[in-house]
Amino acid sequence: MSISCRRFDHLSWPEAAEAVGLGGSTLVWPFGACEQHGPHLPLITDAFFAERMLVEVLERLPADLPIWMLPAQSLGFSPEHEAFPGTLSLSANLMFQLVIEVGQQLAAMGVRRLLLFNAHGGQIGLLHVAARQLRAQCPAMAILPCFLWSGVGALKDLLPESEREVGLHAGLAETSLMLSMAPELVGLERPIDGDHYTPGLSTTPPMGWSLEGHAPCAWLTDDFSESGVIGDSREANAALGKALEQALADHWVNLLISLMGSQWPPVREPEGL
């Protein structure tokens, strides 16, 4: 099956009606952002990864699975990066309402699952809240808010612990992945000024606290970095990026095949059936 056949927006309306009527019909909505990624990566980095990785994953799925992708949402919730030119951030209310309104329309069509395939870490929590509210309003449709980089076990063998834990933005992983997927979009600079883990620095959290994780804070990028980078991309390379790409693709192919072979999550049948 060509990826065009996996694109919901490439279907005609009779084809769309048939698609959502299939048992277990699932739509995947890629989410990214238009925000600074340091002086070496493009503003569209997160949206690029969400869409390109999803295309790769869907191409590897069995052709008979009733799963399609929606057009990517390339503007996101990015207030942490607003100090840097180029960043375009939607308000939390607008992002929330976007998910609710589109989701309600999909549920009314008969879609049984909606997967939010997000690659921007700064809107994980917001999409979780929107998904929960949408589920409450549309009990016949399951909603699964997912983050591209979460739960990928192979990352521990590919990235040093320092970058897995504190390389939050435009660091080794994102720079290497872009070098693999679109090297023409990667600049030559490799700044490292977002240090927030060296003891004694005012930007380093006290013991037990972190920028993200179990005890996080609501940080802004310019609290820590003049370049917009939080991480160390100096060792970034295309070979590592290719390995990361493979690990991400394998992870999501396996998850989607598992999901599509199940009746999970449980939903309530629409009233009147």
Side-chain angles (χ1 to χ4, degrees):
M1 175 180 287
S2 71
I3 190 58
S4 179
C5 297
R6 290 289 195 197
R7 290 199 55 138
F8 192 71
D9 56 335
H10 284 196
L11 303 178
S12 66
W13 76 260
E15 290 171 333
E18 180 181 0
V20 299
L22 296 173
S25 60
T26 301
L27 295 188
V28 187
W29 191 359
F31 278 81
C34 181
E35 62 182 30
Q36 74 82 22
H37 270 75
H40 61 296
L41 293 179
L43 302 172
I44 202 68
T45 291
D46 292 338
F48 180 91
F49 288 158
E51 186 167 20
R52 284 284 295 269
M53 287 306 309
L54 181 56
V55 166
E56 185 172 337
V57 168
L58 293 182
E59 285 182 333
R60 290 174 51 183
L61 297 183
D64 60 343
L65 294 182
I67 183 169
W68 295 267
M69 67 182 292
L70 291 168
Q73 176 58 37
S74 298
L75 296 180
F77 176 66
S78 306
E80 69 273 32
H81 300 295
E82 286 182 333
F84 297 85
T87 298
L88 298 173
S89 180
L90 303 182
S91 70
N93 287 339
L94 183 55
M95 279 290 293
F96 187 91
Q97 198 61 31
L98 174 70
V99 174
I100 297 298
E101 291 193 12
V102 173
Q104 288 174 333
Q105 294 176 61
L106 295 173
M109 292 180 197
V111 173
R112 300 313 299 269
R113 294 190 192 98
L114 174 61
L115 196 155
L116 310 180
F117 192 72
N118 172 44
H120 169 38
Q123 60 195 16
I124 293 173
L126 177 59
L127 292 179
H128 275 257
V129 173
R132 186 81 66 184
Q133 183 65 42
L134 177 59
R135 175 73 173 86
Q137 294 180 9
C138 302
M141 183 174 71
I143 301 96
L144 300 97
C146 301
F147 182 50
L148 172 64
W149 298 91
S150 286
V152 185
L155 295 184
K156 68 180 185 299
D157 299 320
L158 297 173
L159 297 170
E161 183 179 0
S162 60
E163 281 299 291
R164 296 200 312 273
E165 296 296 326
V166 300
L168 302 180
H169 194 71
L172 179 63
E174 289 190 319
T175 304
S176 294
L177 185 58
M178 191 65 81
L179 282 170
S180 171
M181 301 181 80
E184 71 279 4
L185 298 180
V186 183
L188 297 177
E189 295 186 60
R190 297 290 183 271
I192 173 172
D193 66 342
D195 189 343
H196 59 281
Y197 48 87
T198 299
L201 291 180
S202 62
T203 55
T204 299
M207 183 175 295
W209 294 86
S210 58
L211 298 196
E212 296 185 355
H214 298 300
C217 72
W219 53 272
L220 302 176
T221 308
D222 56 332
D223 292 338
F224 307 94
S225 175
E226 294 182 358
S227 71
V229 174
I230 301 180
D232 186 351
S233 67
R234 289 176 295 180
E235 301 300 320
N237 62 85
L240 172 58
K242 190 63 179 177
L244 291 169
E245 182 180 354
Q246 187 67 46
L248 290 166
D250 288 347
H251 173 80
W252 286 104
V253 166
N254 290 336
L255 274 188
L256 289 181
I257 288 177
S258 174
L259 178 66
M260 297 301 294
S262 75
Q263 299 299 315
W264 189 86
V267 296
R268 302 175 194 174
E269 291 299 325
E271 293 183 7
L273 292 183

